[in-house]
Amino acid sequence: MKYLIIYAHPNPKSFNHAIKEQVETVLKKQKKQYSVRDLYMIKWNPVLGGADFKVSEQDKTPEDIKKEQQFIKEADVLIIIHPIWWFGMPAVLKGYIDRVFSAGFAYQYGPEGIKGLLSGKRVVIINTTGGTQEDYLKFGFKDALIKVFKDGIYEFCAMKIIRHVFFFAVPSISKEAREKMLAEIDGLDF
Ligand code: FAD
């Protein structure tokens, strides 16, 4: 079983970075094989440009996209770690999905409609928020994010979301409460 961490946060002192480190510690402890794509570290270009639309023409896929598609091809489980920004994902990750999850690789159009091409792969999402759990439930933000990420992106491409973890209000809670959140990662079965 091969794991791929896709991580999007610019600050190496962030709580998201601590989450990524904790996930790596758990994978190491479980002797799992894994790779990390730290999208800021690799300076991922998130802008879907004209050249990217040539992906369906053989050998015209830009090299940076080809490389990421290979990481995804080789992975059985994707672990996606990022904060919620403007009720979505950071632009760098959105641009990763725009460019890497391309037609012909992640999904395809056919006479029977749209078909996901990444079946067999499983996805774990770990998100942090500024908003409280109470507000996320009260205003439907949690359900909305679950639906968009699940039906709009990952399961649209035929992957299976096995866990979507939210750590709420991380900037305003106590250090101890955040440490408890990190400890929860120890108990996750990836
Ligand atoms: P950080 O701010 O990096 O860290 C939070 C605290 O954790 C800090 O005190 C840090 O020192 C501490 N910390 C770091 N490492 C550890 C550790 N190992 N153990 C314990 N504590 C540690 N929120 C919403 O809910 N909805 C939105 O739509 C939304 N939009 C946003 C848009 C933008 C552009 C931005 C910048 C923020 C937005 N937010 C929103 C808030 C955002 O989701 C949170 O700020 C973010 O999730 C917090 O995660 P972080 O990793 O950035 O935390």
Side-chain angles (χ1 to χ4, degrees):
M1 189 82 76
K2 210 164 167 204
Y3 292 76
L4 179 67
I5 298 173
I6 302 177
Y7 165 70
H9 198 294
N11 181 1
K13 294 204 165 106
S14 67
F15 189 62
N16 271 264
H17 192 266
I19 291 172
K20 180 189 78 81
E21 297 276 289
Q22 189 73 2
V23 169
E24 286 196 66
T25 301
V26 171
L27 291 175
K28 277 182 197 143
K29 219 188 291 169
Q30 297 176 353
K31 299 203 181 337
K32 301 269 169 62
Q33 204 188 340
Y34 72 92
S35 306
V36 181
R37 305 309 287 153
D38 177 335
L39 302 189
Y40 285 94
M41 184 103 87
I42 65 170
K43 297 188 172 28
W44 176 254
N45 166 19
V47 180
L48 175 67
D52 297 337
F53 282 102
K54 296 188 173 172
V55 290
S56 52
E57 294 170 35
Q58 217 181 357
D59 289 335
K60 291 273 174 70
T61 305
E63 285 305 317
D64 59 347
I65 293 180
K66 258 195 214 166
K67 186 173 175 183
E68 298 310 316
Q69 289 180 340
Q70 192 58 35
F71 273 107
I72 289 170
K73 270 186 206 162
E74 287 170 9
D76 301 294
V77 183
L78 273 51
I79 304 177
I80 318 271
I81 304 169
H82 62 89
I84 296 300
W85 284 356
W86 296 114
F87 291 101
M89 54 184 69
V92 72
L93 176 58
K94 175 61 169 51
Y96 185 91
I97 290 170
D98 286 349
R99 297 186 65 223
V100 177
F101 290 20
S102 56
F105 173 74
Y107 66 93
Q108 70 184 13
Y109 295 104
E112 280 148 35
I114 301 169
K115 189 177 164 217
L117 298 178
L118 298 176
S119 58
K121 298 188 189 298
R122 296 184 288 151
V123 178
V124 175
I125 305 173
I126 305 179
N127 291 146
T128 60
T129 77
T132 61
Q133 178 165 21
E134 191 187 27
D135 280 352
Y136 265 71
L137 295 177
K138 184 167 153 197
F139 299 113
F141 296 143
K142 185 178 178 191
D143 285 346
L145 286 168
I146 288 172
K147 183 152 187 68
V148 167
F149 292 167
K150 177 176 178 286
D151 298 333
I153 302 176
Y154 303 105
E155 295 204 1
F156 177 84
C157 299
M159 294 184 269
K160 175 90 190 134
I161 295 197
I162 52 170
R163 189 163 285 115
H164 189 163
V165 179
F166 285 86
F167 291 131
F168 291 102
V170 302
S172 44
I173 58 175
S174 67
K175 185 168 181 279
E176 290 69 32
R178 283 192 297 269
E179 283 167 354
K180 219 167 143 203
M181 288 170 167
L182 292 176
E184 275 177 44
I185 292 171
D186 273 337
L188 290 184
D189 175 22
F190 292 116

